[in-house]
Amino acid sequence: MTKEFEGKVLIATGAASGMGYLCCEEYVRRGGSAVMADVNPEGLEAAVSKVNAIRKGSAIGVVCDVRDYAQICHVRDEAMRVFGRIDLAIPFAGGNEIRMLHVDKTLDLPEIPIDVYDWSIDVNLKGQMYLDHAVLGVMRDQKSGLLVHIGSITGEEGGGKGFGYATAKSGAMYGLTKSMAQYGENHGIRCVCVSPGPVMTRDAMAGMRTMLGRAAEPIEIIDVILFIASDKGGFINGTNIMVDGGRNALGRKDYQKK
């Protein structure tokens, strides 16, 4: 373990599993503390226990549905109560609405209920906006902080029937990231978006085309995020970073529907 983030505090939503969990684990291994938020109480409890096994008292869990701003504010308040500061906030909670809500894939787009897309915008875009807004006052008063948004290659490609996910990710990658960086300019706050291509958080990602002929391992995405959060990444601000194995540089005809 290193002490790169000693004395610093991360808030991550979607932290009970996947890249959200991995980010908290790696942050703690590098000396920091983690406030882990997730909508799944049982999964969250297990995840927090695993992180605290790395270093006792390094993590707390707060049950949170990111669609509810009051719950996001509760996460912030618990971070301040227990650790007294917030240095990094990352909204990992999200997912493609067609997959997450088990929508019948044989339905034509106009037959898919609009509630499906409401859910996607609420989780994938508003959940990121809510976290930003909730922690900005703390970071302003500290005169320091970093917001890392989670985009997606889908924000560049479009998502077909999953257009809510594509729309939300595109909004986070560009409009939201630049806006938060503009606010932070005079307050010591940076904002950067990291946009993965296919990542091996589930087996289906292995079949997606990239220039490198493979999907990313989750740690490859987390390493980029933690570089940005480190002193070495301190000049990165107001931009979107694609970590996609070159997928976005392929001609569209080379990978559509693959």
Side-chain angles (χ1 to χ4, degrees), residues 209-211 246-255:
R209 177 110 156 80
T210 71
M211 281 183 171
R247 182 177 171 91
N248 195 45
L250 288 167
R252 291 298 192 260
K253 64 181 177 61
D254 291 334
Y255 68 76

Side-chain angles (χ1 to χ4, degrees), residues 166-209:
T167 300
K169 291 301 186 181
S170 183
M173 289 157 69
Y174 300 108
L176 184 58
T177 295
K178 290 182 178 182
S179 296
M180 292 299 101
Q182 288 166 7
Y183 173 77
E185 180 180 6
N186 297 316
H187 302 290
I189 302 168
R190 292 185 294 135
C191 183
V192 179
C193 187
V194 173
S195 295
V199 183
M200 287 304 298
T201 50
R202 54 192 180 90
D203 292 343
M205 294 292 99
M208 290 181 67
R209 177 110 156 80

Side-chain angles (χ1 to χ4, degrees), residues 4 146 190 192 224-237 241:
E4 187 174 15
L146 172 63
R190 292 185 294 135
V192 179
V224 172
I225 291 172
L226 295 184
F227 175 82
I228 294 165
S230 74
D231 291 342
K232 293 180 179 179
F235 201 60
I236 304 170
N237 192 28
I241 298 175

Side-chain angles (χ1 to χ4, degrees), residues 8 29 33 93 104-105 117 119 155 165 170 189 215 233 247 254:
K8 295 189 175 182
R29 288 190 186 279
S33 298
D104 182 351
K105 294 181 180 178
Y117 299 110
W119 178 91
Y165 182 76
S170 183
I189 302 168
R247 182 177 171 91
D254 291 334

Side-chain angles (χ1 to χ4, degrees), residues 6 36 62 64 105 117 129 142 169 173 214 223 252:
E6 187 173 18
M36 303 171 67
V62 186
C64 175
K105 294 181 180 178
Y117 299 110
M129 292 170 58
Q142 290 174 176
K169 291 301 186 181
M173 289 157 69
R214 66 175 180 85
D223 280 345
R252 291 298 192 260

